[in-house]
Amino acid sequence: QVQLVDSGGGSVQAGGSLRLSCAASGYTDRIVLVGWFRQAPGKEREGVAAVYIGDGSTFYADSVIGRFTISQDYAKTMAYLEMNSLKPEDTAIYYCAARQYSGTSRPLIRNEYNNWGQGTQVTVSS
């Protein structure tokens, strides 16, 4: 199994920036895909961004294109989500997730992942 610890959340004003980090341990060599998801109160958990470890290809939700950047450092078993131009609607608990062994055609779908971090709160005030 893989253990994930995400961190870096906080409170910022609209227009500000945050960088989330995800540290992986355990069978990290079996991870093929890392994603960031978020869940706002009363809403479903939604995919925000994902990156394939092998070729570095990335995927983003339309709502964050141009503002968020996902990256990974395989050697350090870390993944990051750089969030710029934050909006109040970005307020949510953010979770990193990892998928092992095989790829998927749906990298931003929650059910495609079987390893999850504990979540980190991001609050954006207007």
Side-chain angles (χ1 to χ4, degrees):
Q1 274 293 2
V2 172
Q3 294 78 44
L4 302 173
V5 177
D6 35 41
S7 61
S11 297
V12 297
Q13 291 192 327
S17 299
L18 283 172
R19 187 193 196 207
L20 305 184
S21 299
C22 176
S25 60
Y27 293 107
T28 58
D29 58 332
R30 302 174 188 182
I31 296 175
V32 297
L33 179 68
V34 174
W36 283 97
F37 290 73
R38 65 186 180 187
Q39 188 165 16
K43 294 189 176 182
E44 294 290 321
R45 191 172 299 187
E46 63 173 354
V48 174
V51 58
Y52 270 106
I53 303 301
D55 64 7
S57 54
T58 56
F59 307 86
Y60 294 95
D62 289 345
S63 59
V64 306
I65 290 175
R67 300 189 299 122
F68 290 11
T69 302
I70 189 171
S71 61
Q72 52 94 8
D73 184 335
Y74 182 76
K76 296 182 179 179
T77 62
M78 295 289 293
Y80 306 96
L81 185 68
E82 188 76 33
M83 305 186 296
N84 299 312
S85 302
L86 283 162
K87 305 175 181 179
E89 51 263 44
D90 294 318
T91 295
I93 299 175
Y94 283 70
Y95 300 87
C96 70
R99 177 182 171 91
Q100 297 169 276
Y101 304 115
S102 64
T104 174
S105 59
R106 306 188 303 169
L108 296 181
I109 299 300
R110 175 182 182 177
N111 289 345
E112 299 298 310
Y113 295 79
N114 57 345
N115 299 282
W116 292 87
Q118 81 285 1
T120 184
Q121 177 71 47
V122 171
T123 302
V124 185
S125 58
S126 57

